[in-house]
Amino acid sequence: MEWKTKEVAEKLGINPRTMLSWIKYFNIRISKNDVGHYVYGEEDIAVLSEIKKQVDNGTTLSEVSCAKWGESPKETTVSASFDELMHRMNHLERMVQQKADEVVTVQLLNHRKELELITERLQKMEEIIESLKNKNVVEAKIVKPTKKTWFRFHRLKESHQ
């Protein structure tokens, strides 16, 4: 007879996710149906039951004896240690990637602030240059009157005398 994950979990009195994590952790080979769902036989249920019994008695997963399904406890411990190391390594890689992303983000923000400051300074310089141009134009008109204006001024002066 074959059972589904939920049925076996209920039979053992554990959460289906816990059971699936044990299957992954201990690399238990469970058959799958046409849809890809696990189907459990009597042997599979016996193995999971043995794991549950040992865990209920206070044994940690790394110390659970796997002799019932043909692996020596040493192989399981090495496999579990390797899995733990791989898990830690993946975690560290994610942390390094996250830190690198944070560093890049901070650098981009700093560069953006610097560019904004440079842009502000450039705009101020353009305004100063423009005001200086305007000031020079006004001073040039005041200091150097055109001949026509000078001529008119003298004509007016002569006519009033």
Side-chain angles (χ1 to χ4, degrees):
M1 184 169 181
E2 294 180 337
W3 289 277
K4 295 180 181 179
T5 302
K6 186 176 180 181
E7 296 168 339
V8 175
E10 286 174 359
K11 186 175 184 175
L12 296 175
I14 58 175
N15 188 308
R17 287 184 185 255
T18 301
M19 190 173 74
L20 292 173
S21 70
W22 288 353
I23 291 168
K24 261 188 171 175
Y25 185 82
F26 292 109
N27 197 23
I28 303 170
R29 289 184 173 73
I30 306 291
S31 301
K32 294 183 180 181
N33 62 13
D34 297 337
V35 186
H37 296 178
Y38 286 126
V39 286
Y40 302 84
E42 293 294 333
E43 255 184 63
D44 302 323
I45 294 172
V47 168
L48 291 167
S49 179
E50 180 62 27
I51 293 171
K52 181 184 183 319
K53 181 179 169 186
Q54 290 182 38
V55 169
D56 286 346
N57 288 333
T59 308
T60 63
L61 287 180
S62 60
E63 297 171 340
V64 168
S65 170
C66 303
K68 191 161 188 166
W69 55 89
E71 296 179 22
S72 71
K74 187 175 183 178
E75 288 174 354
T76 302
T77 304
V78 169
S79 176
S81 296
F82 178 75
D83 289 344
E84 178 65 25
L85 287 174
M86 288 300 293
H87 175 73
R88 286 182 181 176
M89 189 171 79
N90 289 335
H91 177 70
L92 288 172
E93 285 177 352
R94 284 192 304 271
M95 287 176 57
V96 166
Q97 183 62 42
Q98 181 182 2
K99 194 62 166 176
D101 289 345
E102 289 172 0
V103 167
V104 168
T105 301
V106 167
Q107 287 176 337
L108 286 173
L109 289 173
N110 286 340
H111 288 303
R112 185 176 185 181
K113 286 179 185 177
E114 289 174 12
L115 286 173
E116 287 173 354
L117 287 173
I118 291 171
T119 303
E120 282 180 28
R121 288 180 180 169
L122 185 60
Q123 287 174 343
K124 285 180 183 177
M125 290 174 69
E126 287 175 345
E127 289 172 4
I128 291 171
I129 290 171
E130 191 62 36
S131 70
L132 287 174
K133 282 181 183 177
N134 291 338
K135 186 176 179 182
N136 284 339
V137 168
V138 169
E139 286 179 0
K141 285 183 180 179
I142 293 172
V143 172
K144 298 179 182 178
T146 61
K147 283 187 176 182
K148 203 173 192 181
T149 309
W150 183 80
F151 181 72
R152 281 189 199 157
F153 176 74
H154 278 299
R155 271 183 140 184
L156 286 172
K157 195 175 180 184
E158 289 175 358
S159 66
H160 287 299
Q161 287 180 358

